[in-house]
Amino acid sequence: MSGPFDGGSDGPERDRGGDEVRGVPRIPAPRPAADDLSPEAYRPPRPEAGDGSTAPRPGGADGGDGRGGDREPGPSAGTGPGSEGTPEASGTAGAHAAGDVPAGGTAPGGTVTGGTAPGGPTSHSVLKSLLGAWALSACSAEETAAVEEHLGECAPCADEALRLRDAVGLLHSDRDLDLDPLLRFRVLENCLGRRPARIPVPDWADPYDAETARLDALLRDIGDSEWHAPVRLKWFEGDRQVDRRTTVAGVIGHLMSVDGLVSGALGLEDPLGRTAPIRPAERTEAFWKTAGLPAATRTIREPWRDQSHTLIRTVSFAGRGVAELSVSYGAFALPLRDSLLDRAFECWIHADDIADAVDYPYAPPSGAHLNRMIDLAARLLPAALAERRRAGLAGPARDLVAAGAPGRSLHLEVEGSGGGNWYIALDSPAAVGSPDRSVAQVALDGVEFCRLVAGHVSPEEAAAGQDGDREAIRDVLFAAASLSRL
């Protein structure tokens, strides 16, 4: 079925030689928004030459044979009955003569004009110029409706509108742009726990790898002036606490100097040279003298970090046998696996010293790594207790037993993350701690026990709970503090 508005081919209103109603141009099909670089899209039609009077073109509104120029044939929309020469046709054609085309409307040739008629459609360029005001919610209700209707039809303007809205979001004054100071720590902790290395780091070297990485992240965040911030290093000698004042740069130099003992044991270059002392305190003093402290600054960070990377890379490629390689500290020696664990412990303790000096938040190691550090200290306690006994600083042995036999013991209960239960042999370092021969019990928090071992708290302040032989408890707590050193 066809009618006067459905494009039927047999209606009386159509010209039999063309596809348009005589004297009335067809409405063009929907088209995409005009490009800004195409000025022809907005140029109004050139007015026809004449004496002011307008007459319909022969053959239709576009002239010629009534086919509408080079436009494709199509159905007519919104036309009424009429024929050439009738008042309806003449009036319609006259309305589209030069000078009578409404602004923003459609010229007889189908070209969009550049302006905006009252109540008519708005041009693409005008709508695009309103995008900034729209993003700031500064448009009127009419302008907002026109822009949003246009955004549904014009992809380039829609993309631009999204970018402008995102930019406006950054201008809000109620948003805090400061980063969380613990963000770097959480990212590092997440990365270290997720993706294994192609050449895996031995599990016994994991604590050293993690603690050096955490300290390096802290050093990256501090300013140049903070490298001169005063840091007080503390440790125990005999029954009293001693300290030494240095700077942040001096602490990193101390760590690098003692790490050089591990480098030398692996056949790597010692940062202090081949003639350097072996004892950690003497090495540190020698480095501080040659480094010209307190003049040293952040320039020391790179050689320290390179050294730690080299150590990790070397033990990763060396294989399993390297774990038992002996590392000498002068007065004692440790296998490499325990030596790197000791270096991880000292790295954490001194990183915490630096964090306190520069007022920076710093968390303890992970529970698994903290447990390994506590276990190393518990294994070293019988030998430290025997050393203090030889120096007359601890009570005499009461029940000597054969090597490997269970002896009189103290139950060390460590609470919190990384905690556990250890039994410390009291009378001989060769004896084995036994719960059946326990004569005393001490309960401490894991971090507090580590601070005691580092010499940062006194034995009297450390124990949270005590029960049993008081002399055994005192001897073990002071032996734990004696494990600290510069």
Side-chain angles (χ1 to χ4, degrees):
M1 182 175 179
S2 63
F5 300 105
D6 62 2
S9 58
D10 55 350
E13 69 281 6
R14 285 200 172 271
D15 184 1
R16 301 188 181 275
D19 295 325
E20 294 185 353
V21 178
R22 292 197 176 187
V24 180
R26 69 178 178 86
I27 298 176
R31 59 179 180 81
D35 191 351
D36 290 342
L37 300 179
S38 179
E40 294 295 331
Y42 308 103
R43 185 172 298 167
R46 181 177 299 174
E48 298 180 2
D51 55 0
S53 61
T54 305
R57 300 179 184 174
D62 290 327
D65 56 357
R67 292 188 173 271
D70 57 355
R71 285 182 287 174
E72 298 179 359
S76 174
T79 58
S83 59
E84 185 177 1
T86 62
E88 293 86 350
S90 300
T92 304
H96 290 287
D100 295 331
V101 180
T106 305
T111 306
V112 178
T113 61
T116 303
T122 308
S123 69
H124 172 83
S125 60
V126 173
L127 292 171
K128 184 173 182 179
S129 68
L130 291 174
L131 291 180
W134 173 84
L136 292 168
S137 301
C139 288
S140 65
E142 294 79 6
E143 290 171 337
T144 300
V147 169
E148 292 178 351
E149 181 180 359
H150 178 67
L151 294 181
E153 302 173 353
C154 179
C157 285
D159 291 340
E160 180 69 15
L162 286 177
R163 287 193 294 269
L164 291 172
R165 265 290 162 90
D166 291 341
V168 169
L170 297 175
L171 300 177
H172 287 255
S173 58
D174 57 348
R175 181 178 301 177
D176 186 6
L177 297 180
D178 291 336
L179 294 178
D180 184 348
L182 289 178
L183 176 62
R184 183 187 292 276
F185 164 74
R186 290 197 295 268
V187 171
L188 278 174
E189 186 178 42
N190 184 58
C191 292
L192 291 171
R194 270 182 183 269
R195 185 175 181 179
R198 292 185 179 181
I199 303 297
V201 176
D203 60 346
W204 47 268
D206 279 342
Y208 179 75
D209 189 22
E211 293 310 310
T212 52
R214 292 206 305 143
L215 175 54
D216 186 53
L218 166 62
L219 298 177
R220 285 177 179 270
D221 280 351
I222 66 177
D224 291 339
S225 61
E226 291 175 314
W227 281 84
H228 300 288
V231 180
R232 190 170 293 277
L233 302 180
K234 302 175 183 179
W235 69 96
F236 262 76
E237 289 183 358
D239 287 343
R240 65 187 184 89
Q241 189 183 59
V242 295
D243 57 64
R244 174 66 185 274
R245 179 170 175 169
T246 183
T247 63
V248 172
V251 174
I252 302 304
H254 163 61
L255 290 174
M256 186 172 68
S257 300
V258 184
D259 282 355
L261 293 172
V262 184
S263 299
L266 290 170
L268 302 173
E269 182 180 358
D270 189 332
L272 274 65
R274 296 181 179 180
T275 60
I278 296 180
R279 293 178 180 271
E282 296 175 0
R283 290 177 62 86
T284 300
E285 294 289 352
F287 177 81
W288 284 347
K289 290 179 181 178
T290 58
L293 293 175
T297 58
R298 68 164 59 246
T299 55
I300 199 172
R301 174 186 155 268
E302 186 173 348
W304 165 78
R305 191 58 175 138
D306 288 343
Q307 182 186 53
S308 63
H309 280 150
T310 302
L311 287 174
I312 293 298
R313 185 167 53 251
T314 301
V315 300
S316 298
F317 281 97
R320 297 181 180 178
V322 74
E324 303 305 323
L325 184 67
S326 179
V327 179
S328 175
Y329 288 81
F332 63 96
L334 293 174
L336 181 61
R337 63 166 64 245
D338 288 342
S339 181
L340 275 187
L341 188 57
D342 171 75
R343 303 311 305 141
F345 175 81
E346 188 166 358
C347 185
W348 160 46
I349 292 297
H350 288 322
D352 194 65
D353 292 336
I354 293 173
D356 287 342
V358 299
D359 195 21
Y360 192 95
Y362 205 79
S366 65
H369 294 172
L370 193 61
N371 180 269
R372 294 185 190 183
M373 296 174 185
I374 296 172
D375 180 70
L376 174 61
R379 288 189 282 114
L380 295 176
L381 275 176
L385 184 57
E387 182 68 24
R388 286 180 59 82
R389 185 175 290 121
R390 286 191 292 269
L393 299 174
R398 298 184 182 181
D399 187 12
L400 294 175
V401 297
R408 203 166 58 101
S409 306
L410 177 139
H411 178 200
L412 175 62
E413 182 182 359
V414 180
E415 303 170 342
S417 178
N421 294 276
W422 288 266
Y423 291 87
I424 313 301
L426 295 173
D427 297 319
S428 173
V432 176
S434 170
D436 296 333
R437 301 206 58 188
S438 176
V439 298
Q441 180 179 1
V442 174
L444 301 95
D445 174 74
V447 174
E448 195 70 7
F449 176 73
C450 289
R451 289 174 59 80
L452 171 65
V453 172
H456 281 46
V457 295
S458 66
E460 293 85 356
E461 299 171 344
Q466 305 177 11
D467 183 37
D469 190 328
R470 295 296 176 181
E471 184 181 51
I473 293 173
R474 180 186 182 281
D475 287 347
V476 169
L477 292 178
F478 273 89
S482 72
L483 292 174
S484 62
R485 64 180 186 272
L486 175 58

